[in-house]
Amino acid sequence: MADPATPRSRGRLSRWWRSELPAFLEIVALCGLVITQPLLDVTGRSPDFFLFYGAGPVEILLLVAAFTVPIPVLVWGVGALTRLIGPVVRGVVHTVSLGLLLAALAIQVGKHLLPWRGLPLALVALLVGAAGAYAYRRWRAAGQLLRIAAAGPLVFVLLFVFASPASAVVLPAERGSGPGAAHESASHPPVVMLVLDELPLVSLLGEGGTIDATRFPNFAALAGGSTWYRNATGVSGWTPYALPAMLTGRYPSSARAPHYSQYPDNLFTLLGGTYDLKVQESISQLCPPSECARRETPVRGGLQVLLRESVGLLRQIVSPVDVPDDPESSYREATRQEAELEEQEQQPAPTDPRFRWGELDVNQPARFTRFLADLRPAERPTLHFLHLLMPHTPWNYLPSGMRYDSPPGMPNDGDGWVELARQRHLLQLGYTDRLIGETLRTLRESGLYDDALVVVTADHGLSFTPGVQGRGRASIDRSPGEVAWVPLFVKEPGQRDGRIDDRNWEHVDLLPTIADRAQVRIPWSVDGLVAPDVSRERTEKRFHDQPTFALQLPGETFADVLSGAARPKLPAPPSPELIGRRVADLPVSDDRTGVSVINRDAFDNIDPNGGRLPALVCGTVPDSVRTGARIAVAVNGRIGAVVPVVDPDKNGRRFGALVSDESLFVPGANKLELFLVSDGAELRRLRL
């Protein structure tokens, strides 16, 4: 046997590598386009993802390496082994590998250019892949072009590390001008700041432009003891721009990560030194470690969790069907139970980046629990800060805190669906109202309430106007009152009576106003004003759809907000007179029409003590049931919801009903019945 170190063996190995190098470079080029570029593009524009999971530079760079190296090496290595069978087999395997990678690339391009999805798009992509493989075998220039493109992954990595918004997390460079200078003889009141998320002011309003005290008693109590700035607007519809503007006093000027290296001048660096900082952030890290202990317990799942999330993202990218969840749009909350497991060095398993708050006894986020625990008087002035992702989507909570699940792919826009979405939003806002009540109760019981400056607001709103549901550009243009106007309550130290202030407040005013009350000078220039000392002369509002471009919203929209004109024009719920009625008291006949309910099995064994109820009933009906037909949902013999059948889509002719009355459910087996409601209010029992 020849020694591997002999010149003959080395020469054989050198010839083998020279013959395999072109194939390796070609695989690297296509893997870079199919895998590396899209993954680095999405995660590079979402530094929140890394901040939320507590990922450091080493973990991020290892993740980038995982995006870039293993898959092309694996694909090439499997093909290289076939050379042992023969060069013909090796050539076929390599060509097929290139064709499949080209098909995966065609799926990504096709989803942007073509209306087709599913099997039609997959067939087109396979044809493109086959044509590309043929071109590779037919013309040498195709292979040469691929080998030149092998430099692509290196370029993608360099852009991610040095030029993307996520570069602030990969290469953090703590800068800062230090804490603000405090007046020597001034007192510094405790500051309690709670920032909610995705909450339009109109959702809180009842008749006459007042807080709906029946539905939201704790928000009403907060308004009754603070200054309610009714004309307050956020600065952007996206938290990574809106939150830094609130905490720096400056309008967004560029696409930057919500990170202290990008915003060194902020509320936390301003108050640090003068104040103790007890900060619970969510998808930002504006408080530098030198000023704030990392108390918010991010989901530190390590590289394993980052890889798991990235695999899910890649699955969405290469899938020939549209996936409803946007990996950049929302982030998962850690439960108190998970936080305890992390403290015990047990591995968490956060596979879904959305909310998952656990059972009934731990249904508050870990950060909210810690936030409450910290609300105590202290010898030194203290800033208590919490950014809570409530009532942000997903809407899975009833006002009591009971959770329900929703099926994947449920739309939030379109006839029938937008009404259901707003109903779910308002119910989750009812749960948020309970959290506000807990905060006020804790402040009063601890003795902190009277002396503290208390600020409760939201970063931006959300449109429920049919056709423009959400907070994109179309929503801002057609429904600015829902997207821009947000609740803002400021309780001054010693304040007991409620006041209303209708000045033109924009959220860049928040930092200078807090600094003024805290008696701390701001050592940098700000765009905001100090309320109530200074008022804007203009009535227009500045709102940033993009950080470098400010939309001018008409100030008269505020009158629409107060009058209720900004509320979405949704149709009245069908047959409200049936809600709560006993089925036995109504005329009922049998119908042979079959209906499918997605969560039918959940009714077989309900455990309310587990914190979950099958409150959202979703299903499909046959085409014989017309669009707009009324479906009544009864639980244990009593009607809990009546909803219309919506227009058919790719998932069929569907309906969705939220049974919000928890008293209808009992432990154990529950009886679920569905009925068609005739024009005479007769019920026709459907076959499940």
Side-chain angles (χ1 to χ4, degrees), residues 309-376:
E309 295 290 338
S310 301
V311 168
L313 171 60
L314 181 62
R315 191 183 304 119
Q316 297 179 33
I317 290 173
V318 301
S319 173
V321 299
D322 288 328
V323 180
D325 294 331
D326 181 358
E328 302 176 52
S329 65
S330 56
Y331 299 89
R332 180 183 171 281
E333 288 280 7
T335 65
R336 186 178 67 193
Q337 187 178 42
E338 287 171 351
E340 291 171 353
L341 291 177
E342 291 177 38
E343 291 173 356
Q344 299 167 14
E345 297 185 354
Q346 297 186 29
Q347 177 65 44
T351 58
D352 182 355
R354 293 184 179 273
F355 286 99
R356 193 183 68 187
W357 285 357
E359 305 304 329
L360 183 62
D361 61 335
V362 289
N363 63 2
Q364 294 179 357
R367 285 188 293 277
F368 183 74
T369 303
R370 290 195 174 196
F371 175 71
L372 290 184
D374 284 337
L375 293 180
R376 299 290 185 270

Side-chain angles (χ1 to χ4, degrees), residues 123-459:
L123 292 176
V124 170
L126 287 174
L127 289 175
V128 172
Y134 173 80
Y136 172 78
R137 300 292 295 180
R138 181 70 176 79
W139 294 291
R140 295 181 58 186
Q144 294 172 345
L145 182 62
L146 283 177
R147 291 190 285 276
I148 294 173
L154 177 60
V155 175
F156 303 147
V157 170
L158 292 175
L159 289 174
F160 173 87
V161 173
F162 294 104
S164 72
S167 63
V169 187
V170 183
L171 303 172
E174 186 175 342
R175 313 184 305 270
S177 54
H183 295 293
E184 295 181 0
S185 60
S187 62
H188 310 292
V191 179
V192 179
M193 185 173 177
L194 174 57
V195 179
L196 303 172
D197 206 300
E198 206 172 65
L199 173 53
L201 172 62
V202 292
S203 293
L204 290 173
L205 300 184
E207 296 299 327
T210 60
I211 304 295
D212 188 340
T214 301
R215 173 168 266 178
F216 309 114
N218 295 301
F219 275 106
L222 176 62
S226 63
T227 301
W228 175 18
Y229 290 89
R230 293 192 303 184
N231 196 11
T233 51
V235 173
S236 173
W238 198 40
T239 301
Y241 301 152
L243 191 62
M246 298 165 67
L247 300 183
T248 64
R250 294 169 171 167
Y251 294 113
S253 59
S254 61
R256 288 182 281 171
H259 191 266
Y260 61 86
S261 66
Q262 298 297 293
Y263 298 95
D265 299 328
N266 62 59
L267 176 68
F268 308 125
T269 57
L270 176 71
L271 299 186
T274 304
Y275 276 71
D276 286 339
L277 305 181
K278 296 185 178 180
V279 176
Q280 317 288 340
E281 295 185 77
S282 58
I283 57 173
S284 62
Q285 191 182 344
L286 293 168
C287 193
S290 61
E291 300 290 351
C292 302
R294 294 289 287 167
R295 303 173 55 87
E296 62 271 22
T297 314
V299 182
R300 294 188 180 278
L303 183 61
Q304 180 181 356
V305 172
L306 295 177
L307 286 171
R308 186 186 301 122
E309 295 290 338
S310 301
V311 168
L313 171 60
L314 181 62
R315 191 183 304 119
Q316 297 179 33
I317 290 173
V318 301
S319 173
V321 299
D322 288 328
V323 180
D325 294 331
D326 181 358
E328 302 176 52
S329 65
S330 56
Y331 299 89
R332 180 183 171 281
E333 288 280 7
T335 65
R336 186 178 67 193
Q337 187 178 42
E338 287 171 351
E340 291 171 353
L341 291 177
E342 291 177 38
E343 291 173 356
Q344 299 167 14
E345 297 185 354
Q346 297 186 29
Q347 177 65 44
T351 58
D352 182 355
R354 293 184 179 273
F355 286 99
R356 193 183 68 187
W357 285 357
E359 305 304 329
L360 183 62
D361 61 335
V362 289
N363 63 2
Q364 294 179 357
R367 285 188 293 277
F368 183 74
T369 303
R370 290 195 174 196
F371 175 71
L372 290 184
D374 284 337
L375 293 180
R376 299 290 185 270
E379 293 183 1
R380 282 174 49 81
T382 304
L383 167 67
H384 304 269
F385 176 91
L386 171 65
H387 174 209
L388 183 63
L389 298 177
M390 286 290 285
H392 195 287
T393 52
W395 306 300
N396 287 341
Y397 283 87
L398 300 176
S400 67
M402 190 72 73
R403 177 173 177 168
Y404 61 90
D405 295 320
S406 58
M410 173 174 284
N412 290 328
D413 205 355
D415 291 341
W417 297 119
V418 68
E419 296 92 328
L420 179 62
R422 188 165 190 269
Q423 181 187 10
R424 296 173 63 194
H425 160 76
L426 291 175
L427 289 171
Q428 187 148 304
L429 181 53
Y431 176 53
T432 308
D433 182 77
R434 291 175 64 92
L435 302 184
I436 294 295
E438 283 295 301
T439 302
L440 295 176
R441 181 188 60 80
T442 302
L443 285 170
R444 289 191 172 96
E445 290 183 354
S446 67
L448 191 61
Y449 181 83
D450 287 338
D451 296 333
L453 173 69
V454 180
V455 178
V456 178
T457 189
D459 54 354

